[in-house]
């Protein structure tokens, strides 16, 4: 399953409970890291979410999306977005 999860705007605790549960189940967790800046360090996210976080810069998102989506049909993968993912 591929999850697109909004993180809110301030810190690691702005994620919803359901979003956090999904992140903790995921094999890979990507953080979209070029359109907005989260006000917390990646290490704090990793500690709170109990998962390693892979920074997805513009190049990765735009030209390596197949890598992000790889195995998402059989494994859980999260794509974290600062704020609201539909905004």
């Amino acid at each position: 399953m591929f999850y697109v999860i909004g993180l809110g705007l301030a810190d690691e605790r702005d994620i919803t409970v359901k979003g956090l549960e999904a992140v903790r189940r995921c094999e890979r967790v990507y953080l979209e890291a070029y359109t907005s800046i989260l006000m917390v360090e990646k290490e704090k996210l990793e500690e709170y979410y109990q998962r390693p976080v892979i920074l997805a810069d513009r190049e990765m998102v735009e030209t390596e999306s197949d890598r992000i989506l790889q195995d998402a049909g059989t494994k859980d993968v999260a794509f974290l977005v600062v704020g609201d993912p539909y905004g």
Side-chain angles (χ1 to χ4, degrees):
M1 175 73 67
F2 184 71
Y3 297 92
V4 178
I5 301 170
L7 297 182
L9 298 173
D11 63 28
E12 70 277 10
R13 293 173 289 129
D14 281 350
I15 191 171
T16 65
V17 172
K18 286 184 179 182
L20 180 59
E21 290 171 350
V23 166
R24 287 183 176 164
R25 285 192 307 270
C26 286
E27 184 168 311
R28 292 188 325 274
V29 178
Y30 294 91
L31 172 62
E32 188 277 324
Y34 76 92
T35 58
S36 294
I37 297 172
L38 190 61
M39 304 304 291
V40 66
E41 301 83 24
K42 177 180 92 105
E43 293 76 21
K44 279 196 168 192
L45 294 180
E46 292 174 326
E47 181 181 336
Y48 190 74
Y49 299 162
Q50 300 173 357
R51 303 292 307 143
V53 174
I54 303 162
L55 291 180
D57 61 10
R58 183 176 187 161
E59 182 178 343
M60 178 182 280
V61 173
E62 292 182 356
T63 64
E64 300 175 31
S65 57
D66 290 344
R67 181 173 147 199
I68 294 171
L69 295 170
Q70 182 179 356
D71 300 324
T74 57
K75 298 177 182 175
D76 290 333
V77 177
F79 188 75
L80 308 179
V81 179
V82 177
D84 181 346
Y86 298 110

